[in-house]
Amino acid sequence: MSLEYYLVLSALLFTIGVIGVLIRRNAIIIFMCIELMLNAANLAFVAISRSLGEATGQVFVFFVMTVAAAEVAIGLAIIVSVFKHRQTVNVDEVNSLKG
Amino acid sequence: MENIPLVLIISSLVKILIIVHLLLIGVMIMIWAERRVSGWMQDRLGPNRVGPQGLLQPVADGLKFLFKEDLIPDHVDKPLYVMAPAMLLVPALVAVAVVPFGSSITVLGHEIPLQIADVNIGILYILAITSLGVYGVVLGAWASNNKYSLLGGLRSSAQMISYELTLGLGIIGILMLTGNTLSLRTIAIEQGAYPWQWNFLIHFPAFLAFTTAMFAETNRLPFDLAEAEQELVAGYHTEYSSMKFAMFFMAEYMNMIVGSAVTVTLFLGGWHFFGLENMGGPVWSGIISFGIFFVKTAIFLFVFIWVRWTLPRFRYDQLMNFGWKFLLPVALTSIVVTGTLWITTNSRLIVGIGNVVSAFIVASIVAGLLVMRTPKPAIQDSDNRLTPTALDAIE
Amino acid sequence: MNAEQILFILFGAVSLIGAIAVISFRHPIYSALSLIVTFFAQAGLFVLLGAHFVAAVQVIVYAGAIMVLFLFVIMLLNLGTLSVQGAIGRKLKGLAIILGILFAAEGIYIAVNALNDTAVASAESGAAAVTITTYDIGELLFSKYLLPFEVTSLILLAALIGVIVLVKREGQEEN
């Protein structure tokens, strides 16, 4: 399998993530779509790492995963806090800072 | 791919068949053993009517489950409700693939390792697969659409995430001393023939932490918060009946067996026992090694039952405190001490002693701190009656 | 077609279907499940690419921890009963999908064409057979990338403290 197929798949997954962020209003699903995009990037990293024959790409996947884990912990805590105050996870309803 | 000898392909299939059936039979024996041993511990008989010593009792139970009506309550989320038991059972079955259950047998000039697949990331595979078991519990709980089930599922998910850390950290010390591999077979081989060469003495605190975390991961008492009968009816499987319930039940025992086998491989020398495993010819030594492994696993399984009928259940906040504030520091200390002492002295003896001493000190300090700070009563959330325990976990 | 191509198509299709399911299911629990399926298919792709360590870590971190957290929060907030009402309008949705398709086309164009000149494409033919072991990754991580590695621990620490602070304040307000 050549590199292009993996990169195309990665691009498609990333796009689905982007579309998800655009069309869904549920904060948790938006968050999942962000995870999807990070994963698409990881796929590209690993594919390129394989075709270059060196491990650097996989090391970066490791970093991406660490950041993703931290981000999920914080993000979900924020969502829980917001839900406790406003009883909603709809991102359009959380707009009291809007001018 | 094309040049694999036929012997190896057939032997692989035979190994898979044997192991899967051993697991299933093991589950039946465990169910019988649990009831008999608990009877023995409580000075009563336990089931002894069906077959000799009641050995056929699990068969009778199984038949009963099969003939019961497969009830799906109206209020459940049907697809998830049906999927959940399988999602718990499958990881338990799949995890056993990388466990080495004996040295090797030579057939027709081919050396056949007694292991379904010797993956070079063996331990990571085990960690990955066992971490999936939680989905069966959580989704079954959620799909049941019942507040007690939901509470069970919430408790279970928080518990699994917390104790998985300790499970992973407990292994790292071993990996540091085992050369450049994550393969379970190599780890088993590198432990010598004699008990004082096995990992549980070198990494005693890690061994205790790992075993405790293993109990928590298999949802056994004293960690069976997810099904706590007195509080939650039957927790995540309240709404389940017939074969679906039986699958949950089997998965629990299967997880125990796999957990014991992994612990034996990692900490208790695998199939080694005073050089006994090298006796006999190329075939017999393999079979003897398998027997040794089997006996060790059985002994460890007895410990599972023993603990269950001895210790009372933790309260939820105790569970979280114990996992995060006691087990985790002990496991972390073990890693630091193992690494430091191994680099400076290169002696397993010193690492072993240092581990025990440091763990004792850290455990005393942590326990002292935990006792000194008298736990305040759990915050009662009056608005949200459904999830007070779950909220405690994040507060 | 050899085995690798068949597996690539299988895993690729599963991951795409799973990803589409994530954004189309109404209920967050089903979205989370679809995302788990996608992550699994990606772990399969990583194995195909010879990245066994990354595949295992993918399952441990994403499927085993991150998604359990998602499920935990979905169940904790009991979002099933109050699924989000004001979804965005049909026109906006159409616009978003058109933009998405344009974006995908751009990505595919880059993936297929723009790599031709770079080192990646030139190295591709020779080095395809090299498998990268956990040992290689560990060696890089603890030598060349030691500083970034230490910094990730700081990120995790920051996340830990952040979560505690976020939730702690919440608890005190309630009292």
Side-chain angles (χ1 to χ4, degrees), chain A residues 16-77:
Chain A
I16 294 172
V18 172
I19 294 177
V21 172
L22 290 179
I23 66 175
R24 297 304 297 260
R25 298 293 85 191
N26 186 330
I28 289 187
I29 292 182
I30 289 178
F31 215 12
M32 286 185 206
C33 292
I34 293 172
E35 293 303 312
L36 194 60
M37 288 191 270
L38 284 173
N39 259 275
N42 282 353
L43 184 60
F45 266 129
V46 175
I48 292 172
S49 146
R50 211 269 295 254
S51 59
L52 286 176
E54 62 166 313
T56 312
Q58 299 190 18
V59 172
F60 274 89
V61 171
F62 180 84
F63 290 139
V64 170
M65 282 180 182
T66 322
V67 173
E71 172 218 327
V72 165
I74 293 281
L76 287 177

Side-chain angles (χ1 to χ4, degrees), chain B residues 77 80 132 135 138 157 394, chain C residues 30 33 40 63 67 72 75 167:
Chain B
D77 188 304
L80 287 184
L132 299 178
Y135 286 117
V138 172
S157 54
I394 56 166
Chain C
Y30 282 95
L33 275 181
F40 260 100
M67 292 318 292
F72 183 83
M75 283 165 61
V167 181

Side-chain angles (χ1 to χ4, degrees), chain B residues 127-204:
Chain B
L127 284 180
I129 297 296
T130 49
S131 68
L132 299 178
V134 64
Y135 286 117
V137 175
V138 172
L139 293 174
W142 186 81
S144 294
N145 200 5
N146 163 331
K147 70 171 88 166
Y148 294 115
S149 298
L150 188 66
L151 274 176
L154 277 170
R155 286 177 172 191
S156 181
S157 54
Q159 176 184 332
M160 292 278 190
I161 293 182
S162 310
Y163 280 82
E164 235 160 53
L165 291 173
T166 313
L167 204 68
L169 292 179
I171 296 172
I172 290 177
I174 295 180
L175 294 181
M176 282 196 277
L177 266 60
T178 308
N180 313 321
T181 183
L182 297 170
S183 149
L184 284 171
R185 168 158 289 265
T186 319
I187 291 171
I189 289 173
E190 287 206 0
Q191 302 178 59
Y194 301 101
W196 51 89
Q197 296 173 320
W198 297 345
N199 280 332
F200 81 101
L201 276 182
I202 307 169
H203 309 280
F204 194 66

Side-chain angles (χ1 to χ4, degrees), chain B residues 80-392:
Chain B
L80 287 184
Y81 180 83
V82 175
M83 255 157 61
M87 290 176 80
L88 190 57
L89 194 60
V90 169
L93 267 173
V94 174
V96 84
V98 297
V99 177
F101 48 88
S103 53
S104 60
I105 294 180
T106 310
V107 179
L108 298 175
H110 292 289
E111 192 181 333
I112 298 167
L114 290 181
Q115 182 180 19
I116 292 174
D118 187 12
V119 193
N120 64 358
I121 50 159
I123 289 185
L124 290 180
Y125 175 88
I126 292 269
L127 284 180
I129 297 296
T130 49
S131 68
L132 299 178
V134 64
Y135 286 117
V137 175
V138 172
L139 293 174
W142 186 81
S144 294
N145 200 5
N146 163 331
K147 70 171 88 166
Y148 294 115
S149 298
L150 188 66
L151 274 176
L154 277 170
R155 286 177 172 191
S156 181
S157 54
Q159 176 184 332
M160 292 278 190
I161 293 182
S162 310
Y163 280 82
E164 235 160 53
L165 291 173
T166 313
L167 204 68
L169 292 179
I171 296 172
I172 290 177
I174 295 180
L175 294 181
M176 282 196 277
L177 266 60
T178 308
N180 313 321
T181 183
L182 297 170
S183 149
L184 284 171
R185 168 158 289 265
T186 319
I187 291 171
I189 289 173
E190 287 206 0
Q191 302 178 59
Y194 301 101
W196 51 89
Q197 296 173 320
W198 297 345
N199 280 332
F200 81 101
L201 276 182
I202 307 169
H203 309 280
F204 194 66
F207 170 62
L208 290 185
F210 181 86
T211 318
T212 318
M214 186 68 94
F215 276 82
E217 290 283 302
T218 47
N219 262 331
R220 291 278 293 183
L221 253 158
F223 299 102
D224 69 336
L225 274 286
E227 42 189 301
E229 291 91 348
Q230 292 85 344
E231 305 157 33
L232 301 179
V233 192
Y236 62 94
H237 55 61
T238 305
E239 301 284 351
Y240 282 87
S241 60
S242 181
M243 267 325 271
K244 293 200 185 67
F245 171 72
M247 279 163 85
F248 274 131
F249 204 60
M250 280 161 68
E252 182 188 330
Y253 284 94
M254 230 174 253
N255 274 323
M256 278 166 64
I257 296 174
V258 175
S260 307
V262 172
T263 314
V264 167
T265 310
L266 288 175
F267 287 98
L268 300 174
W271 60 85
H272 296 290
F273 191 72
F274 289 106
L276 201 67
E277 68 279 2
N278 296 324
M279 303 228 296
V283 175
W284 277 108
S285 66
I287 294 174
I288 291 173
S289 69
F290 175 55
I292 294 170
F293 188 80
F294 187 83
V295 170
K296 280 186 185 174
T297 311
I299 292 173
F300 203 78
L301 282 170
F302 175 76
V303 176
F304 261 99
I305 299 177
W306 186 8
V307 169
R308 166 164 182 181
W309 295 99
T310 310
L311 295 179
R313 181 182 302 126
F314 281 108
R315 214 172 51 218
Y316 193 76
D317 57 322
Q318 290 172 334
L319 176 92
M320 283 296 155
N321 275 338
F322 183 67
W324 285 101
K325 297 180 185 166
F326 188 82
L327 274 187
L328 204 61
V330 169
L332 274 173
T333 319
S334 159
I335 293 175
V336 174
V337 170
T338 307
T340 318
L341 289 182
W342 182 245
I343 291 281
T344 48
T345 65
N346 213 24
S347 144
R348 280 166 209 269
L349 180 71
I350 294 178
V351 171
I353 295 171
N355 260 332
V356 172
V357 172
S358 63
F360 187 75
I361 296 169
V362 170
S364 325
I365 295 172
V366 175
L369 286 176
L370 276 180
V371 172
M372 260 164 46
R373 294 190 51 196
T374 40
K376 53 178 189 239
I379 300 159
Q380 284 301 322
D381 191 354
S382 56
D383 298 332
N384 200 346
R385 276 263 169 259
L386 188 63
T387 53
T389 35
L391 285 170
D392 290 346

